[in-house]
Amino acid sequence: MKTKILEINSKRIDLAKIKLAAEEIKKGNLVAFPTETVYGLGADALNEKAVAKIFQAKERPFNDPLIAHIADIKELYRLSQQVPPVAIKLAKVFWPGPLTLVLKKSKLVSGIVTAGLDTVAVRMPEDNIALSLIRESETPIAAPSANLFGRTSPTTAQHVTDDLDGKIEIIINGGKTKVGVESTVLDVTVEPVRVLRAGGISVEKLKEVVGQVKISKELKEGFRSPGMLNSHYSPQAKLILVENKEETKIEEVRRLASKYMTQGFKVGIMAKEENQNKYGRFEVKVIGKGTELEVCAANLFTILRSFDKEGFEIIIAEGLKEHGLGLAIMERLRKAAAPK
Ligand code: AMP
Ligand code: MG
């Protein structure tokens, strides 16, 4: 299959191109498209055969459920017949945006989308390209991140090409994604609501709207939550996350970098801007200022992928503070560092 690349500017949508992509969705084929979080690999969420193609192209196991993307809140009531008031409250504040709600599914939603669960994950993305693609396709679009299973999520169309060229009909290039980490996944079938995956909307922001928010135990411990497998987000290089306190962090990063370099490995360090000059002869990539966690989140996957492209074998990553988007960053780094 020859993958077609469509260049679209999200500020000046070319509707003819969107319609071309929407035709492929309607035919049951796959289209990769930008959202504000990461690039998604989309198929008609109500067409089982089309959804099956997502798993095939990504080599993703069927026990990992997908998120259904909608462009109109009315669609939420088609996908779930039990929409609790708290879901509406959250949707009003955070949609369109990087928050995914997990609700009881309706009969319309096939088990292939939900990995056999009786709940469905739904989100309204903010990106104009994503929204108009969903509208023109006239169906919810099931879309996981547009990467091969287990790899880091794509934040540019080039990342998608690197993983999926020749396996899907269309890749829409809409430039680098804004948020850079996936959506926050929030279970609203329980009280208090529970974060299953940290992401683009911080726990602090959720608390401002709903008061009490629980954080899934698995998330805190860096283990799996439903469908979230440890091999997620991994660069090809071995990643070592240094979670020491500030006072000993730099020393520990230096020690590990020396150790692996002496063994002959190509070693890279992912550091905060404040620390970039503390590693002398080692190769350093800067994730951003430790105080600007939104910038760090936007850079995270791009940096991990660039280490791979440049042939690094070991990445030593400085841990970041776990407030705001720092929680989402640390969750992904811990998963990337977990033994395969
Ligand atoms: P991705 O779109 O690749 O970021 O992956 C979607 C993620 O959303 C899954 O890996 C799950 O963690 C989460 N998810 C999707 N559906 C459900 C569900 N019904 N219950 C809990 N988590 C879900
Ligand atoms: Mg993913």
Side-chain angles (χ1 to χ4, degrees), residues 60 64-67 102 117 119-121 143-145 182 185 196-197 226-228:
R60 176 173 172 124
D64 195 356
L66 306 179
I67 296 169
V102 171
L117 299 169
T119 51
V120 61
S145 49
E182 298 85 344
V185 178
L196 302 179
R197 172 177 81 184
M228 291 188 70

Side-chain angles (χ1 to χ4, degrees), residues 239-243 253 268-271 304 315-319 333:
L239 186 139
I240 300 165
L241 175 61
V242 177
E243 297 203 50
V253 170
I269 294 171
M270 185 166 82
L304 293 182
I315 304 166
I316 321 270
E318 292 184 341
L333 286 174

Side-chain angles (χ1 to χ4, degrees), residues 29-329:
N29 291 329
L30 302 183
V31 174
F33 60 97
T35 77
E36 75 279 19
T37 58
V38 301
Y39 274 71
L41 179 58
D44 179 351
L46 305 181
N47 175 342
E48 290 186 335
K49 276 195 190 143
V51 173
K53 288 184 188 171
I54 293 179
F55 288 90
Q56 216 171 25
K58 283 189 58 126
E59 297 162 31
R60 176 173 172 124
F62 282 102
N63 65 358
D64 195 356
L66 306 179
I67 296 169
H69 294 73
I70 60 174
D72 186 326
I73 191 119
K74 276 189 223 132
E75 292 288 290
L76 184 61
Y77 294 93
R78 283 178 76 212
L79 300 175
S80 169
Q81 266 131 35
Q82 282 180 47
V83 181
V86 69
I88 298 304
K89 198 170 174 185
L90 287 160
K92 277 193 177 142
V93 178
F94 295 112
W95 281 3
L99 178 67
T100 295
L101 301 176
V102 171
L103 316 100
K104 283 266 177 285
K105 80 172 193 72
S106 72
K107 289 208 181 83
L108 200 60
V109 184
S110 152
I112 189 170
V113 174
T114 67
L117 299 169
D118 64 351
T119 51
V120 61
V122 185
R123 170 168 111 83
M124 190 189 292
E126 190 194 326
D127 188 279
N128 281 328
I129 295 172
L131 286 172
S132 38
L133 179 65
I134 299 164
R135 275 191 212 109
E136 294 302 323
S137 302
E138 299 172 320
T139 183
I141 294 184
S145 49
N147 52 281
L148 286 175
F149 178 71
R151 299 269 175 86
T152 47
S153 298
T155 50
T156 66
Q158 183 60 50
H159 295 160
V160 181
T161 302
D162 291 344
D163 279 16
L164 298 173
D165 190 30
K167 293 176 148 194
I168 62 179
E169 270 69 21
I170 290 180
I171 298 172
I172 299 179
N173 183 1
K176 193 176 173 201
T177 63
K178 185 175 81 179
V179 179
V181 290
E182 298 85 344
S183 58
T184 300
V185 178
L186 189 71
D187 185 352
V188 293
T189 66
V190 291
E191 247 180 290
V193 295
R194 196 165 60 116
V195 176
L196 302 179
R197 172 177 81 184
I201 300 287
S202 68
V203 174
E204 292 88 338
K205 282 206 175 134
L206 292 174
K207 282 184 177 164
E208 283 172 22
V209 176
V210 295
Q212 220 184 338
V213 176
K214 258 183 92 171
I215 297 179
S216 116
K217 187 163 154 272
E218 291 89 347
L219 195 161
K220 274 193 223 156
E221 292 169 357
F223 294 145
R224 49 180 295 180
S225 70
M228 291 188 70
L229 308 164
N230 261 338
S231 58
H232 253 77
Y233 314 118
S234 305
Q236 276 142 302
K238 176 184 166 72
L239 186 139
I240 300 165
L241 175 61
V242 177
E243 297 203 50
N244 291 39
K245 292 216 169 67
E246 277 314 302
E247 306 84 81
T248 58
K249 193 184 285 164
I250 292 167
E251 195 184 318
E252 178 64 2
V253 170
R254 280 194 197 128
R255 187 188 70 79
L256 287 164
S258 299
K259 176 180 136 187
Y260 286 103
M261 206 145 122
T262 313
Q263 290 174 15
F265 290 106
K266 182 166 177 180
V267 178
I269 294 171
M270 185 166 82
K272 294 188 285 194
E273 194 178 307
E274 298 88 311
N275 294 345
Q276 68 172 317
N277 298 323
K278 309 224 167 108
Y279 297 113
R281 66 199 165 106
F282 298 109
E283 296 208 47
V284 179
K285 291 188 192 289
V286 173
I287 184 166
K289 287 201 183 99
T291 48
E292 294 175 359
L293 291 164
E294 286 174 11
V295 175
C296 294
N299 290 334
L300 175 67
F301 289 139
T302 310
I303 290 183
L304 293 182
R305 283 207 175 228
S306 66
F307 275 121
D308 278 343
K309 272 224 159 139
E310 292 165 34
F312 284 88
E313 295 157 295
I314 306 277
I315 304 166
I316 321 270
E318 292 184 341
L320 297 173
K321 288 229 159 63
E322 275 188 274
H323 57 69
L325 288 200
L327 184 65
I329 297 170

